[in-house]
Amino acid sequence: MTDTLTFDSLAVPMQALRLLALDFPHLPAPDIDLTRIYPDRLTLCFHDGLDGFEAWREALGVLPEQVTHGVQGGGGTRVLKASTVYAGADVQLRGFADVESDGSSA
């Protein structure tokens, strides 16, 4: 028999999401991921360039040197990753942009 997580198991990242919405309502809306696999994690993804990623990185106080950079999709997609703790949740930021673009969503 396996342990089944309850909805309450996701309370920490859901509370962080609620506080982020209150503290930063002016920032770009991300794609949001909550999962039972990592019940303390909240992931904010930006697929339309890196402007949203950068706005959230700055707002959450993540230093530029804490951001990792990679590529995927055969080298065609830039990927930025960063993480921080906010309201007790492990907040992961993910940004995606075409390599040939300047990263902006313009």
Side-chain angles (χ1 to χ4, degrees):
M1 181 174 171
T2 61
D3 291 334
T4 301
L5 293 177
T6 63
F7 196 59
D8 185 55
S9 300
L10 299 175
V12 170
M14 288 191 294
Q15 178 68 15
L17 180 59
R18 180 178 179 270
L19 292 173
L20 287 170
L22 291 172
D23 291 344
F24 305 108
H26 59 286
L27 291 180
D31 292 327
I32 298 165
D33 183 37
L34 294 166
T35 176
R36 295 177 301 140
I37 297 168
Y38 302 105
D40 291 332
R41 181 180 293 174
L42 170 65
T43 304
L44 309 178
C45 292
F46 304 89
H47 296 277
D48 298 326
L50 302 177
D51 292 345
F53 175 92
E54 285 298 321
W56 278 97
R57 181 194 60 74
E58 289 179 17
L60 293 173
V62 177
L63 299 174
E65 55 269 18
Q66 295 174 298
V67 176
T68 62
H69 174 269
V71 293
Q72 67 182 34
T77 303
R78 293 177 62 195
V79 182
L80 298 183
K81 298 179 182 179
S83 64
T84 190
V85 175
Y86 183 84
D90 173 21
V91 178
Q92 302 282 315
L93 299 175
R94 303 285 182 260
F96 303 90
D98 292 338
V99 167
E100 57 273 357
S101 79
D102 64 0
S104 69
S105 58

